[in-house]
């Protein structure tokens, strides 16, 4: 089937999931020239097969709150493509999730995981459960109920979930405990993001944020520039944002602002990451408490972080959090580089406004791939029953991020637009998956 026939079918099939459809459209635009140049890709229906998720699971998750009330949430797992290895991708617990979002994120994950150069297929899942405000006992009961269904569909060689929004060390612990009980064996390779004490990898917690900054360093290096003295704004204050801020600081940049669901935090002396860590990781509260320790800082309720002038903007909170007005404001304030730490945080028109103004742009599937890459390293350690040092894993992460940057740039050059890392990431990610799909046949 030719590209226009394929897209007509895709538009009909996914008309009820507009976010996923938009994501397909943007990726396919980069891939059509590659497919057109290879008769084998067309004759083997590689693109058509790649656009169809291999399995979509949706299930009931009933659980009882501390006050005795019964709640029913919905669980999801989209297992999109496993040509390169076991399905791999995070679990998100957030009230706003739906199938449309998980389809988009799982598709994105296929190309991202391919870019890491590791043997990882792509998946994503989670639930509309909100862990915030729930007791540890409630989160544990929810996780057990969620895993009661999910354990049938995962495993070290099948599908290996990890954390994402709302799923951190506590949730991964309860999910792994539930899995261990339900399958009756200790199988560390079935989940990543584990604590190093019971089978996790050093650097996994930091990996997405650190990897993002390593990627930004490569982008700057390619322009003969570096991070020292740069002023950055990072949105969010979760797992990705915290460790992006930490690495920015370590490499000599200053973080002017970050944010959470309640508003934006601006500190004229630079954000003190240790305080943010305490508030978010230990006390699990909002950023407003930061002002007690740093009275010169301001917490702007209901605002996002993009009004703060900066050279580097790193969206690290959630999807669609940087729109076209934010992009124009960033441009007016002199932003030079935007790199996505979150998945799909910039809207399509925001990306056009940024790139149209000459701002260097890195898509999440390349820039935030350090998290899943380190999950891949965690799986390797689990399989070999080894535990590598922090320094060893960090060095591998740096090499992987430099490799992803180089392959995106090379693919962008081959596509005729050397600075377009979006096209580069789509093409480089696709080429590896397509190679595997050709080799494995129409199965
Ligand atoms: P966390 O739950 O740890 O942090 C999310 C942050 O985003 C929090 O500060 C949260 O605010 C904020 N946030 C959530 N929803 C909204 C919203 N609707 N508007 C504004 N802010 C919001 O998640 P992660 O840091 O793990 O993930 C962040 C992003 O990075 C996601 O897009 C995720 O898919 C992506 N990602 C994560 C990876 C990982 O390894 N964890 C790997 C690759 C990508 P509050 O503090 O108030 O809750």
């Amino acid at each position: 089937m030719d590209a226009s026939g394929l897209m007509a079918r895709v538009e009909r099939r996914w008309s009820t999931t507009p976010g996923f459809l938009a994501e397909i459209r943007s990726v396919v635009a980069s891939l059509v020239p590659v497919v057109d140049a290879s008769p084998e890709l067309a004759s083997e229906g590689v693109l058509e097969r790649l656009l169809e998720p291999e399995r979509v699971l949706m299930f009931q998750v009933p659980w009882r709150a501390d006050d005795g009330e019964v709640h029913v949430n919905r669980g999801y797992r989209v297992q999109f493509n496993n040509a390169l290895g076991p399905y791999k991708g995070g679990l998100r617990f957030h009230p706003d999730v739906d199938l449309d979002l998980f389809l988009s994120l799982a598709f994105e994950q296929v190309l991202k995981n391919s870019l890491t150069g590791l043997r990882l297929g792509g998946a994503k899942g989670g639930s509309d459960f909100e862990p915030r405000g729930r007791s540890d006992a409630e989160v544990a009961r929810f996780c057990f109920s969620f895993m009661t269904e999910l354990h049938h569909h995962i495993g070290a060689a099948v599908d290996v979930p990890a954390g994402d929004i709302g799923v951190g060390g506590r949730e991964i612990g309860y999910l792994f405990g539930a899995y261990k009980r339900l399958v009756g064996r200790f199988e560390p390779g079935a989940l990543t993001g584990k604590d190093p004490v019971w089978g996790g990898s050093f650097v996994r917690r930091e990996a997405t944020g650190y990897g993002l900054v390593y990627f930004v360093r490569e982008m700057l290096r390619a322009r003969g520039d570096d991070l020292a003295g740069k002023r950055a704004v990072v949105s969010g204050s979760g797992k990705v944002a915290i460790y992006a801020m930490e690495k920015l600081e370590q490499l000599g940049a200053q973080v002017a602002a970050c944010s959470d669901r309640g508003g934006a935090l601006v500190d004229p002396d630079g954000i003190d990451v240790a305080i943010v860590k305490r508030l978010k990781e230990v006390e699990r509260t909002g950023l407003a408490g930061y002002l007690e320790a740093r009275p010169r800082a301001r917490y702007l309720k209901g605002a996002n972080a993009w009004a703060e002038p900066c050279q580097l903007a790193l969206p690290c909170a959630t999807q669609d959090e940087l729109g076209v007005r934010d992009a124009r404001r960033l441009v007016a304030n002199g932003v030079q580089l935007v790199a996505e730490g979150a998945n799909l945080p910039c809207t399509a028109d925001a990306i056009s406004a940024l790139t149209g103004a000459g701002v260097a742009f890195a898509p999440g599937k390349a820039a935030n791939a350090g998290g899943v890459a380190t999950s891949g390293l965690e799986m390797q350690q689990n399989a070999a029953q080894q535990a590598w040092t922090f320094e060893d894993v960090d060095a591998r992460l740096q090499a992987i991020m430099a490799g992803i940057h180089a392959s995106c740039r090379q693919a962008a050059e081959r596509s005729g637009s050397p600075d377009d890392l979006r096209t580069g990431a789509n093409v480089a990610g696709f080429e590896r998956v397509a190679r595997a799909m050709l080799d494995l046949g129409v199965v």
Side-chain angles (χ1 to χ4, degrees):
M1 188 183 294
D2 68 6
S4 65
L6 173 58
M7 278 317 289
R9 176 185 287 189
V10 165
E11 299 271 346
R12 277 197 305 278
R13 181 168 285 176
W14 299 109
S15 61
T16 56
T17 50
F20 176 46
L21 195 48
E23 177 61 15
I24 291 182
R25 282 195 205 106
S26 86
V27 172
V28 168
S30 315
L31 302 185
V32 167
V34 183
V35 177
D36 283 350
S38 163
E40 199 186 8
L41 289 174
S43 70
E44 298 309 298
V46 169
L47 189 54
E48 186 169 2
R49 289 190 283 137
L50 180 71
L51 298 181
E52 182 70 10
E54 291 172 358
R55 188 174 298 111
V56 178
L57 305 164
M58 210 158 90
F59 49 94
Q60 184 192 110
V61 189
W63 58 281
R64 197 180 289 277
D66 290 344
D67 63 6
E69 192 183 342
V70 171
H71 296 260
V72 181
N73 286 97
R74 186 174 282 179
Y76 302 83
R77 188 72 178 164
V78 177
Q79 297 176 331
F80 215 104
N81 184 291
N82 67 355
L84 284 174
Y87 300 110
K88 179 94 198 87
L91 294 173
R92 179 176 296 192
F93 291 168
H94 191 285
D96 295 344
V97 301
D98 58 19
L99 183 60
D100 190 12
L101 178 67
F102 284 129
L103 284 164
S104 309
L105 294 174
F107 180 52
E108 177 90 351
Q109 197 80 41
V110 174
L111 300 179
K112 177 192 307 196
N113 293 2
S114 167
L115 282 172
T116 66
L118 303 175
R119 292 197 309 272
L120 303 169
K124 197 84 185 185
S127 173
D128 57 359
F129 172 70
E130 168 63 279
R132 279 204 316 182
R134 291 291 171 191
S135 69
D136 288 354
E138 289 175 318
V139 172
R141 283 197 292 278
F142 174 82
C143 287
F144 199 93
S145 183
F146 182 82
M147 193 51 91
T148 301
E149 177 59 36
L150 191 68
H151 84 279
H152 294 299
H153 312 284
I154 65 171
V158 182
D159 181 355
V160 186
D164 192 75
I165 294 179
V167 178
R170 174 182 62 170
E171 288 75 18
I172 290 291
Y174 291 146
L175 289 165
F176 187 72
Y179 183 80
K180 179 170 77 66
R181 184 86 201 269
L182 288 160
V183 302
R185 59 180 184 274
F186 193 98
E187 184 191 331
L191 276 175
T192 60
K194 304 180 295 295
D195 191 283
V197 170
W198 42 273
S201 173
F202 287 116
V203 195
R204 176 60 190 90
R205 186 182 52 168
E206 296 84 357
T208 309
Y210 279 18
L212 171 66
V213 178
Y214 295 147
F215 193 92
V216 169
R217 184 172 62 181
E218 293 302 313
M219 291 173 76
L220 291 170
R221 232 178 229 162
R223 288 166 174 70
D225 201 352
D226 63 27
L227 280 159
K230 290 277 184 305
R231 185 179 162 86
V233 165
V234 176
S235 66
S237 47
K239 298 182 288 297
V240 179
I242 285 175
Y243 293 98
M245 292 194 279
E246 184 170 279
K247 186 52 72 180
L248 282 166
E249 241 180 34
Q250 288 173 6
L251 297 182
Q254 193 195 48
V255 182
C258 65
S259 63
D260 64 6
R261 281 184 242 194
L265 177 69
V266 182
D267 188 336
D269 302 316
I271 298 288
D272 184 331
V273 183
I275 302 175
V276 177
K277 265 192 195 175
R278 171 171 55 78
L279 292 170
K280 291 293 175 179
E281 292 183 345
V282 183
E283 297 172 12
R284 295 180 188 274
T285 61
L287 283 174
Y290 183 95
L291 308 188
E292 285 166 26
R294 304 271 281 208
R296 270 164 51 81
R298 285 171 299 135
Y299 183 67
L300 310 169
K301 270 195 191 151
N304 69 25
W306 309 126
E308 197 54 29
C310 60
Q311 293 148 314
L312 312 175
L314 309 185
C316 294
T318 191
Q319 66 280 358
D320 296 332
E321 55 158 316
L322 198 163
V324 68
R325 286 175 57 187
D326 303 314
R328 289 193 189 122
R329 186 174 232 176
L330 283 166
V331 169
N333 284 334
V335 76
Q336 296 165 3
L337 183 154
V338 176
E340 295 183 324
N343 284 312
L344 310 174
C346 299
T347 61
D349 47 4
I351 296 171
S352 302
L354 293 168
T355 52
V359 175
F361 177 78
K365 65 169 73 71
N368 73 30
V372 72
T374 308
S375 278
L377 301 180
E378 183 174 335
M379 290 159 69
Q380 289 179 17
Q381 291 168 78
N382 291 153
Q385 300 202 29
Q386 290 179 350
W388 304 338
T389 64
F390 191 99
E391 292 70 26
D392 185 357
V393 181
D394 189 40
R396 290 175 197 246
L397 172 63
Q398 294 189 48
I400 289 171
M401 297 315 294
I404 294 174
H405 179 260
S407 47
C408 291
R409 265 190 77 92
Q410 286 155 12
E413 269 166 30
R414 284 199 303 280
S415 305
S417 39
D419 293 324
D420 180 359
L421 293 180
R422 277 180 92 203
T423 298
N426 288 337
V427 170
F430 173 71
E431 283 173 345
R432 227 172 135 245
V433 184
R435 178 74 261 150
M437 288 175 73
L438 285 174
D439 290 350
L440 302 186
V442 182
V443 287

